[in-house]
Amino acid sequence: MASIDLGLPQPPPPTRTPPRRHSRKIHVGNVPVGGDAPVSVQTMTTTLTTDIDATLQQIAEITAAGCDIVRVAVPSQDDADALPAIVAKSSLPVIADIHFQPRYVFAAIDAGCAAVRVNPGNIRKFDDKVREIAQAAGAARVPIRIGVNAGSLDPRLLAKHGSATPEALVESALWECSLFEEHGFEDIKIAVKHHDPLTVIAANRLLAAACDYPLHLGVTEAGTSLQGSVKSAVAFGVLLTEGIGDTIRVSLSAPPVEQVKAGAHILQSLGLRPRKLEIVSCPGCGRLQVDIHHLAQRVEAAFDGFPHPIRVAVMGCVVNGPGEAREADLGVSCGNGKGQIFVQGEVIRTVPEHRIVDALLEEALRLTEGPGIAEKTAP
């Protein structure tokens, strides 16, 4: 069987894609960040860092979901003591997340972490420790992520600005950067986060204009899966289409795997990451002759982890169904308890409703098993 072009939508041509903001490039372990590097997806483990096996298991799960960099919490000495074992066996570069106790910054550097995240707003007398941190991080070539959150902004800036405004967040981040710069350390990434997407947009626009450090995008405390994904997609969509942003995290009250999947989908939708599975399915109306919501979920679950990029249409009636199914690599148009299976625009068979998912999988495997398909569909 000859190799097949699956016809997936390609990223927009360069004339339609705004140029990436010029930023310096740093390396978080083996992952380049900034410059011309791809936008990376991050998340944070929810396990106790002291539970090394559980943490490594979760890292393996998010790796499979498409994560590039992982952050782990280090709130105690026991967590710091667990870092060497996690770093040694992690499939992803590990960032240590430090709050309150600056001594854990040095422990993380000694443990071989790929980077360290610090929140100056809640580390007591952090500014007094900058020289030591800069020297240790510089000697180990470990980047520092300066993370400024609205909920832990320096009280002096809250008093000055009245609230966690975009200007207050940016002033905090740039002040801390200047302290590191005084000691010759510029291997820095910045994140300014707020629960309001409009504030996140405004703050990152200000940062992008004021410095060339790579920027990590995040809407903090974004909420549950639906609300948080929407908030994050709004903020990231605006900023990334303006060329702003080098890494992202979708902060959801949901398992880390779901955060990673949401982030990957956002990048795929913007043409910033090669597409994998795309489900085209109708929203439903009074013409439906099948439970389209349940069917689409079953198809999505069945194709989870499918090794080749593919667009699958799942349509519930004859009004738009055949046309949409023809536009996909593979599709089904349902009606009268049956499904017409389309492959690259042609009806190849009709199956009973209960056989639709199996039939789609069978045809997808036939479509992609030809020689050379891996090379044809590789990003």
Side-chain angles (χ1 to χ4, degrees), residues 151-170:
S152 54
L153 194 63
D154 190 305
R156 295 168 296 182
L157 291 172
L158 280 175
K160 176 181 176 180
H161 293 273
S163 65
T165 63
E167 292 78 10
L169 296 171
V170 170

Side-chain angles (χ1 to χ4, degrees), residues 1-10 309-311 327-330 343-344 367-368 371-373 375-378:
M1 183 176 182
S3 64
I4 294 171
D5 184 352
L6 291 181
L8 278 171
Q10 298 300 310
I310 192 167
R311 176 191 279 159
E327 289 295 316
D329 303 300
L330 179 67
V343 175
Q344 295 192 323
L367 187 64
T368 59
I373 191 67
E375 292 80 4
K376 194 75 172 178
T377 60

Side-chain angles (χ1 to χ4, degrees), residues 35-308:
D36 58 356
V39 179
S40 300
V41 175
Q42 297 188 20
T43 191
M44 191 170 181
T45 54
T46 56
T47 55
L48 292 173
T49 305
T50 51
D51 190 338
I52 295 170
D53 290 341
T55 300
L56 289 171
Q57 175 60 36
Q58 196 167 79
I59 291 173
E61 292 168 358
I62 62 174
T63 302
C67 192
D68 301 301
I69 300 170
V70 66
R71 187 155 43 109
V72 300
V74 188
S76 73
Q77 185 61 51
D78 288 341
D79 297 300
D81 292 341
L83 288 175
I86 293 171
V87 169
K89 296 183 179 180
S90 173
S91 52
L92 297 175
V94 175
I95 298 178
D97 189 71
I98 310 297
H99 296 264
F100 306 116
Q101 292 291 345
R103 70 176 183 272
Y104 299 144
V105 174
F106 304 104
I109 293 171
D110 290 341
C113 287
V116 177
R117 183 269 178 133
V118 294
N119 185 342
N122 61 19
I123 295 181
R124 189 164 178 248
K125 296 184 177 179
F126 177 80
D127 293 357
D128 297 338
K129 298 289 184 180
V130 167
R131 182 181 63 82
E132 296 174 62
I133 292 173
Q135 289 177 344
R141 303 187 70 178
V142 172
I144 298 291
R145 173 179 145 190
I146 294 174
V148 178
N149 279 14
S152 54
L153 194 63
D154 190 305
R156 295 168 296 182
L157 291 172
L158 280 175
K160 176 181 176 180
H161 293 273
S163 65
T165 63
E167 292 78 10
L169 296 171
V170 170
E171 183 175 343
S172 175
L174 294 179
W175 166 254
E176 300 300 338
C177 287
S178 72
L179 297 181
F180 278 94
E181 290 164 357
E182 287 179 3
H183 301 288
F185 187 87
E186 296 184 343
D187 204 4
I188 295 170
K189 179 171 63 171
I190 303 177
V192 287
K193 294 189 177 183
H194 197 283
H195 64 83
D196 173 40
L198 295 180
T199 301
V200 171
I201 292 169
N204 279 280
R205 282 172 170 166
L206 290 172
L207 265 179
C211 71
D212 67 350
Y213 290 116
L215 303 182
H216 172 75
L217 306 183
V219 179
T220 191
E221 292 95 34
T224 54
S225 290
L226 175 60
Q227 179 173 282
S229 295
V230 170
K231 282 184 174 182
S232 299
V234 168
F236 300 172
V238 170
L239 290 167
L240 290 170
T241 54
E242 294 178 2
I244 298 171
D246 301 287
T247 64
I248 65 170
R249 181 195 177 190
V250 180
S251 299
L252 306 176
S253 298
V257 164
E258 298 305 312
Q259 300 178 26
V260 171
K261 289 180 178 179
H265 278 298
I266 290 171
L267 295 183
Q268 289 170 26
S269 297
L270 293 169
L272 295 172
R273 178 171 283 207
R275 291 181 185 268
K276 294 185 178 178
L277 172 66
E278 182 182 4
I279 300 291
V280 179
S281 59
C282 61
C285 70
R287 295 187 298 266
L288 282 179
Q289 296 178 340
V290 67
D291 184 349
I292 195 67
H293 304 146
H294 181 57
L295 179 58
Q297 289 171 356
R298 288 174 56 213
V299 171
E300 185 174 45
F303 277 83
D304 187 34
F306 193 75
H308 305 296

